[in-house]
């Protein structure tokens, strides 16, 4: 963005317009999958991220905040 004012204007127009982010990462903070949700987050978003992988992990923990 060319200026902070332009960035603030764009951010205010999209704030609250999405369901946020779905992220899968390891304990070390390395991001393996990232998804921008258009609607509120659901367990299906997490399943979509996992199913996009070639090899599924042995252990998986999902934290679904309500």
């Amino acid at each position: 963005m060319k200026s902070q004012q332009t960035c603030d204007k764009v951010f205010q127009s999209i704030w609250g317009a999405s369901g946020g982010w779905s992220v899968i990462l390891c304990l070390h903070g390395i991001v393996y999958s990232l998804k921008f949700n258009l609607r509120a987050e659901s367990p299906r978003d997490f399943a979509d991220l996992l199913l996009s992988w070639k090899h599924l992990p042995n252990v998986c923990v999902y934290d679904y905040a309500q």
Side-chain angles (χ1 to χ4, degrees):
M1 304 260 166
K2 293 183 179 181
S3 69
Q4 183 64 35
Q5 184 180 15
T6 304
C7 181
D8 291 342
K9 184 177 179 180
V10 170
F11 181 76
Q12 288 175 357
S13 67
I14 63 171
W15 179 256
S18 75
W21 298 95
S22 293
V23 181
I24 296 179
L25 51 103
C26 72
L27 296 174
H28 303 96
I30 298 171
V31 175
Y32 289 103
S33 294
L34 180 69
K35 179 180 180 182
F36 182 73
N37 299 323
L38 297 176
R39 293 180 293 259
E41 180 185 356
S42 73
R44 183 178 184 166
D45 295 316
F46 184 70
D48 287 343
L49 286 174
L50 283 180
L51 292 174
S52 69
W53 291 14
K54 186 174 182 178
H55 303 286
L56 294 175
N58 293 330
V59 177
C60 189
V61 177
Y62 178 61
D63 180 18
Y64 179 62
Q66 291 191 24

